[in-house]
Amino acid sequence: GDFKLKSAPDFKVPESQRINTDKKRMQMLLLVDGVLKIKMQFNHKFLALRDLKKTICEHIRRDQVQLMAINRKLGISEH
């Protein structure tokens, strides 16, 4: 193949591969936007898991009260 060496005196970067400030700024904005979306998704999942934990804890407490009532009726002491 025809390989151009970057160290060659006549080497020129093709226009499609050149990076100018506008392209780099756009890359940075897209990157910041992507990071923001990922953070928002993480926070949404985190809050959903927090709510799920809260619900599960409430169910456990309610079941515990019911078990204690059943144990009292059966005369089983708890330690």
Side-chain angles (χ1 to χ4, degrees):
D2 184 26
F3 295 105
K4 306 283 188 212
L5 296 177
K6 290 183 180 180
S7 60
D10 61 339
F11 176 76
K12 295 212 184 232
V13 178
E15 185 65 36
S16 63
Q17 294 179 0
R18 292 184 187 170
I19 301 290
N20 59 23
T21 55
D22 292 332
K23 287 181 183 179
K24 190 51 80 171
R25 185 172 288 123
M26 183 57 73
Q27 275 183 343
M28 291 172 60
L29 289 174
L30 290 172
L31 186 62
V32 168
D33 188 46
V35 169
L36 179 63
K37 286 179 183 177
I38 290 170
K39 284 182 178 182
M40 289 175 62
Q41 289 172 351
F42 174 83
N43 287 338
H44 181 72
K45 289 178 183 179
F46 182 85
L47 293 175
L49 287 171
R50 182 192 67 180
D51 294 342
L52 177 63
K53 178 183 174 183
K54 186 177 179 180
T55 303
I56 290 171
C57 288
E58 289 170 359
H59 286 297
I60 289 172
R61 278 189 221 104
R62 188 184 64 230
D63 292 345
Q64 220 173 11
V65 169
Q66 287 177 346
L67 283 173
M68 287 168 50
I70 292 170
N71 284 339
R72 272 195 306 273
K73 286 182 181 179
L74 293 175
I76 300 173
S77 66
E78 304 201 19
H79 28 322

PDB file of all heavy atoms in Angstrom, residues 31-50:
ATOM      1  N   LEU A  31     -19.528  15.189  24.583  1.00  0.00           N
ATOM      2  CA  LEU A  31     -19.024  14.375  25.687  1.00  0.00           C
ATOM      3  C   LEU A  31     -19.659  14.792  27.014  1.00  0.00           C
ATOM      4  O   LEU A  31     -20.108  13.949  27.793  1.00  0.00           O
ATOM      5  CB  LEU A  31     -17.503  14.494  25.766  1.00  0.00           C
ATOM      6  CG  LEU A  31     -16.799  13.603  26.769  1.00  0.00           C
ATOM      7  CD1 LEU A  31     -17.022  12.132  26.412  1.00  0.00           C
ATOM      8  CD2 LEU A  31     -15.312  13.911  26.788  1.00  0.00           C
ATOM      9  N   VAL A  32     -19.729  16.091  27.264  1.00  0.00           N
ATOM     10  CA  VAL A  32     -20.350  16.594  28.495  1.00  0.00           C
ATOM     11  C   VAL A  32     -21.821  16.187  28.530  1.00  0.00           C
ATOM     12  O   VAL A  32     -22.335  15.769  29.572  1.00  0.00           O
ATOM     13  CB  VAL A  32     -20.189  18.128  28.592  1.00  0.00           C
ATOM     14  CG1 VAL A  32     -21.066  18.705  29.677  1.00  0.00           C
ATOM     15  CG2 VAL A  32     -18.734  18.480  28.842  1.00  0.00           C
ATOM     16  N   ASP A  33     -22.496  16.296  27.400  1.00  0.00           N
ATOM     17  CA  ASP A  33     -23.905  15.908  27.325  1.00  0.00           C
ATOM     18  C   ASP A  33     -24.073  14.413  27.604  1.00  0.00           C
ATOM     19  O   ASP A  33     -24.977  14.007  28.329  1.00  0.00           O
ATOM     20  CB  ASP A  33     -24.460  16.246  25.939  1.00  0.00           C
ATOM     21  CG  ASP A  33     -25.954  16.039  25.853  1.00  0.00           C
ATOM     22  OD1 ASP A  33     -26.673  16.481  26.778  1.00  0.00           O
ATOM     23  OD2 ASP A  33     -26.418  15.422  24.869  1.00  0.00           O
ATOM     24  N   GLY A  34     -23.175  13.605  27.055  1.00  0.00           N
ATOM     25  CA  GLY A  34     -23.241  12.158  27.296  1.00  0.00           C
ATOM     26  C   GLY A  34     -23.017  11.818  28.755  1.00  0.00           C
ATOM     27  O   GLY A  34     -23.716  10.979  29.326  1.00  0.00           O
ATOM     28  N   VAL A  35     -22.044  12.480  29.377  1.00  0.00           N
ATOM     29  CA  VAL A  35     -21.769  12.240  30.802  1.00  0.00           C
ATOM     30  C   VAL A  35     -22.979  12.649  31.640  1.00  0.00           C
ATOM     31  O   VAL A  35     -23.357  11.943  32.576  1.00  0.00           O
ATOM     32  CB  VAL A  35     -20.493  12.996  31.245  1.00  0.00           C
ATOM     33  CG1 VAL A  35     -20.343  12.982  32.747  1.00  0.00           C
ATOM     34  CG2 VAL A  35     -19.268  12.388  30.579  1.00  0.00           C
ATOM     35  N   LEU A  36     -23.586  13.784  31.304  1.00  0.00           N
ATOM     36  CA  LEU A  36     -24.769  14.246  32.042  1.00  0.00           C
ATOM     37  C   LEU A  36     -25.911  13.229  31.942  1.00  0.00           C
ATOM     38  O   LEU A  36     -26.565  12.926  32.946  1.00  0.00           O
ATOM     39  CB  LEU A  36     -25.220  15.602  31.506  1.00  0.00           C
ATOM     40  CG  LEU A  36     -26.448  16.208  32.163  1.00  0.00           C
ATOM     41  CD1 LEU A  36     -26.177  16.492  33.642  1.00  0.00           C
ATOM     42  CD2 LEU A  36     -26.857  17.480  31.451  1.00  0.00           C
ATOM     43  N   LYS A  37     -26.122  12.692  30.752  1.00  0.00           N
ATOM     44  CA  LYS A  37     -27.181  11.693  30.578  1.00  0.00           C
ATOM     45  C   LYS A  37     -26.901  10.440  31.416  1.00  0.00           C
ATOM     46  O   LYS A  37     -27.810   9.891  32.044  1.00  0.00           O
ATOM     47  CB  LYS A  37     -27.334  11.312  29.105  1.00  0.00           C
ATOM     48  CG  LYS A  37     -28.005  12.380  28.286  1.00  0.00           C
ATOM     49  CD  LYS A  37     -28.118  11.971  26.825  1.00  0.00           C
ATOM     50  CE  LYS A  37     -28.727  13.092  26.004  1.00  0.00           C
ATOM     51  NZ  LYS A  37     -28.789  12.771  24.583  1.00  0.00           N
ATOM     52  N   ILE A  38     -25.651  10.004  31.429  1.00  0.00           N
ATOM     53  CA  ILE A  38     -25.285   8.820  32.217  1.00  0.00           C
ATOM     54  C   ILE A  38     -25.509   9.084  33.701  1.00  0.00           C
ATOM     55  O   ILE A  38     -26.039   8.240  34.429  1.00  0.00           O
ATOM     56  CB  ILE A  38     -23.823   8.409  31.935  1.00  0.00           C
ATOM     57  CG1 ILE A  38     -23.717   7.860  30.516  1.00  0.00           C
ATOM     58  CG2 ILE A  38     -23.328   7.397  32.950  1.00  0.00           C
ATOM     59  CD1 ILE A  38     -22.295   7.642  30.042  1.00  0.00           C
ATOM     60  N   LYS A  39     -25.125  10.274  34.173  1.00  0.00           N
ATOM     61  CA  LYS A  39     -25.321  10.622  35.585  1.00  0.00           C
ATOM     62  C   LYS A  39     -26.806  10.658  35.937  1.00  0.00           C
ATOM     63  O   LYS A  39     -27.209  10.186  37.005  1.00  0.00           O
ATOM     64  CB  LYS A  39     -24.695  11.986  35.891  1.00  0.00           C
ATOM     65  CG  LYS A  39     -23.197  11.968  36.006  1.00  0.00           C
ATOM     66  CD  LYS A  39     -22.681  13.362  36.368  1.00  0.00           C
ATOM     67  CE  LYS A  39     -21.193  13.394  36.542  1.00  0.00           C
ATOM     68  NZ  LYS A  39     -20.727  14.736  36.932  1.00  0.00           N
ATOM     69  N   MET A  40     -27.614  11.214  35.038  1.00  0.00           N
ATOM     70  CA  MET A  40     -29.056  11.286  35.303  1.00  0.00           C
ATOM     71  C   MET A  40     -29.670   9.893  35.350  1.00  0.00           C
ATOM     72  O   MET A  40     -30.512   9.608  36.202  1.00  0.00           O
ATOM     73  CB  MET A  40     -29.741  12.165  34.257  1.00  0.00           C
ATOM     74  CG  MET A  40     -29.405  13.639  34.416  1.00  0.00           C
ATOM     75  SD  MET A  40     -30.070  14.684  33.108  1.00  0.00           S
ATOM     76  CE  MET A  40     -31.816  14.439  33.301  1.00  0.00           C
ATOM     77  N   GLN A  41     -29.239   9.013  34.451  1.00  0.00           N
ATOM     78  CA  GLN A  41     -29.744   7.639  34.465  1.00  0.00           C
ATOM     79  C   GLN A  41     -29.337   6.934  35.750  1.00  0.00           C
ATOM     80  O   GLN A  41     -30.143   6.225  36.360  1.00  0.00           O
ATOM     81  CB  GLN A  41     -29.209   6.862  33.259  1.00  0.00           C
ATOM     82  CG  GLN A  41     -29.804   7.282  31.942  1.00  0.00           C
ATOM     83  CD  GLN A  41     -29.111   6.623  30.757  1.00  0.00           C
ATOM     84  OE1 GLN A  41     -28.076   5.975  30.890  1.00  0.00           O
ATOM     85  NE2 GLN A  41     -29.679   6.812  29.569  1.00  0.00           N
ATOM     86  N   PHE A  42     -28.095   7.135  36.179  1.00  0.00           N
ATOM     87  CA  PHE A  42     -27.623   6.535  37.429  1.00  0.00           C
ATOM     88  C   PHE A  42     -28.455   7.028  38.605  1.00  0.00           C
ATOM     89  O   PHE A  42     -28.897   6.235  39.443  1.00  0.00           O
ATOM     90  CB  PHE A  42     -26.145   6.865  37.654  1.00  0.00           C
ATOM     91  CG  PHE A  42     -25.636   6.388  38.989  1.00  0.00           C
ATOM     92  CD1 PHE A  42     -25.217   5.084  39.150  1.00  0.00           C
ATOM     93  CD2 PHE A  42     -25.600   7.245  40.077  1.00  0.00           C
ATOM     94  CE1 PHE A  42     -24.761   4.631  40.376  1.00  0.00           C
ATOM     95  CE2 PHE A  42     -25.148   6.806  41.310  1.00  0.00           C
ATOM     96  CZ  PHE A  42     -24.723   5.502  41.460  1.00  0.00           C
ATOM     97  N   ASN A  43     -28.672   8.341  38.676  1.00  0.00           N
ATOM     98  CA  ASN A  43     -29.454   8.905  39.777  1.00  0.00           C
ATOM     99  C   ASN A  43     -30.882   8.366  39.776  1.00  0.00           C
ATOM    100  O   ASN A  43     -31.437   8.070  40.834  1.00  0.00           O
ATOM    101  CB  ASN A  43     -29.457  10.429  39.706  1.00  0.00           C
ATOM    102  CG  ASN A  43     -28.133  11.037  40.092  1.00  0.00           C
ATOM    103  OD1 ASN A  43     -27.336  10.423  40.785  1.00  0.00           O
ATOM    104  ND2 ASN A  43     -27.880  12.245  39.626  1.00  0.00           N
ATOM    105  N   HIS A  44     -31.461   8.227  38.593  1.00  0.00           N
ATOM    106  CA  HIS A  44     -32.824   7.690  38.498  1.00  0.00           C
ATOM    107  C   HIS A  44     -32.872   6.255  39.023  1.00  0.00           C
ATOM    108  O   HIS A  44     -33.752   5.898  39.812  1.00  0.00           O
ATOM    109  CB  HIS A  44     -33.298   7.757  37.045  1.00  0.00           C
ATOM    110  CG  HIS A  44     -34.679   7.254  36.844  1.00  0.00           C
ATOM    111  ND1 HIS A  44     -35.794   7.937  37.269  1.00  0.00           N
ATOM    112  CD2 HIS A  44     -35.134   6.113  36.285  1.00  0.00           C
ATOM    113  CE1 HIS A  44     -36.873   7.236  36.969  1.00  0.00           C
ATOM    114  NE2 HIS A  44     -36.499   6.123  36.372  1.00  0.00           N
ATOM    115  N   LYS A  45     -31.915   5.437  38.603  1.00  0.00           N
ATOM    116  CA  LYS A  45     -31.869   4.045  39.073  1.00  0.00           C
ATOM    117  C   LYS A  45     -31.602   3.986  40.575  1.00  0.00           C
ATOM    118  O   LYS A  45     -32.193   3.176  41.293  1.00  0.00           O
ATOM    119  CB  LYS A  45     -30.783   3.262  38.329  1.00  0.00           C
ATOM    120  CG  LYS A  45     -31.121   2.975  36.893  1.00  0.00           C
ATOM    121  CD  LYS A  45     -29.991   2.231  36.204  1.00  0.00           C
ATOM    122  CE  LYS A  45     -30.286   2.011  34.733  1.00  0.00           C
ATOM    123  NZ  LYS A  45     -29.187   1.308  34.049  1.00  0.00           N
ATOM    124  N   PHE A  46     -30.708   4.857  41.047  1.00  0.00           N
ATOM    125  CA  PHE A  46     -30.376   4.880  42.477  1.00  0.00           C
ATOM    126  C   PHE A  46     -31.602   5.220  43.310  1.00  0.00           C
ATOM    127  O   PHE A  46     -31.889   4.560  44.311  1.00  0.00           O
ATOM    128  CB  PHE A  46     -29.262   5.909  42.726  1.00  0.00           C
ATOM    129  CG  PHE A  46     -28.817   5.973  44.148  1.00  0.00           C
ATOM    130  CD1 PHE A  46     -27.853   5.095  44.616  1.00  0.00           C
ATOM    131  CD2 PHE A  46     -29.354   6.903  45.024  1.00  0.00           C
ATOM    132  CE1 PHE A  46     -27.431   5.147  45.940  1.00  0.00           C
ATOM    133  CE2 PHE A  46     -28.945   6.957  46.334  1.00  0.00           C
ATOM    134  CZ  PHE A  46     -27.985   6.081  46.795  1.00  0.00           C
ATOM    135  N   LEU A  47     -32.352   6.240  42.890  1.00  0.00           N
ATOM    136  CA  LEU A  47     -33.549   6.632  43.635  1.00  0.00           C
ATOM    137  C   LEU A  47     -34.622   5.546  43.569  1.00  0.00           C
ATOM    138  O   LEU A  47     -35.337   5.310  44.558  1.00  0.00           O
ATOM    139  CB  LEU A  47     -34.089   7.960  43.107  1.00  0.00           C
ATOM    140  CG  LEU A  47     -33.187   9.171  43.364  1.00  0.00           C
ATOM    141  CD1 LEU A  47     -33.761  10.415  42.698  1.00  0.00           C
ATOM    142  CD2 LEU A  47     -32.964   9.390  44.840  1.00  0.00           C
ATOM    143  N   ALA A  48     -34.729   4.871  42.438  1.00  0.00           N
ATOM    144  CA  ALA A  48     -35.692   3.774  42.316  1.00  0.00           C
ATOM    145  C   ALA A  48     -35.318   2.642  43.272  1.00  0.00           C
ATOM    146  O   ALA A  48     -36.190   2.058  43.935  1.00  0.00           O
ATOM    147  CB  ALA A  48     -35.749   3.269  40.875  1.00  0.00           C
ATOM    148  N   LEU A  49     -34.024   2.332  43.370  1.00  0.00           N
ATOM    149  CA  LEU A  49     -33.578   1.284  44.290  1.00  0.00           C
ATOM    150  C   LEU A  49     -33.799   1.703  45.743  1.00  0.00           C
ATOM    151  O   LEU A  49     -34.150   0.879  46.589  1.00  0.00           O
ATOM    152  CB  LEU A  49     -32.108   0.947  44.053  1.00  0.00           C
ATOM    153  CG  LEU A  49     -31.814   0.160  42.782  1.00  0.00           C
ATOM    154  CD1 LEU A  49     -30.311   0.085  42.538  1.00  0.00           C
ATOM    155  CD2 LEU A  49     -32.406  -1.238  42.863  1.00  0.00           C
ATOM    156  N   ARG A  50     -33.596   2.984  46.040  1.00  0.00           N
ATOM    157  CA  ARG A  50     -33.844   3.483  47.399  1.00  0.00           C
ATOM    158  C   ARG A  50     -35.314   3.293  47.772  1.00  0.00           C
ATOM    159  O   ARG A  50     -35.645   2.839  48.862  1.00  0.00           O
ATOM    160  CB  ARG A  50     -33.465   4.956  47.492  1.00  0.00           C
ATOM    161  CG  ARG A  50     -33.659   5.527  48.900  1.00  0.00           C
ATOM    162  CD  ARG A  50     -33.572   7.011  48.913  1.00  0.00           C
ATOM    163  NE  ARG A  50     -34.707   7.553  48.174  1.00  0.00           N
ATOM    164  CZ  ARG A  50     -34.927   8.847  48.004  1.00  0.00           C
ATOM    165  NH1 ARG A  50     -34.085   9.725  48.455  1.00  0.00           N
ATOM    166  NH2 ARG A  50     -35.985   9.259  47.344  1.00  0.00           N
TER     167      ARG A  50
END
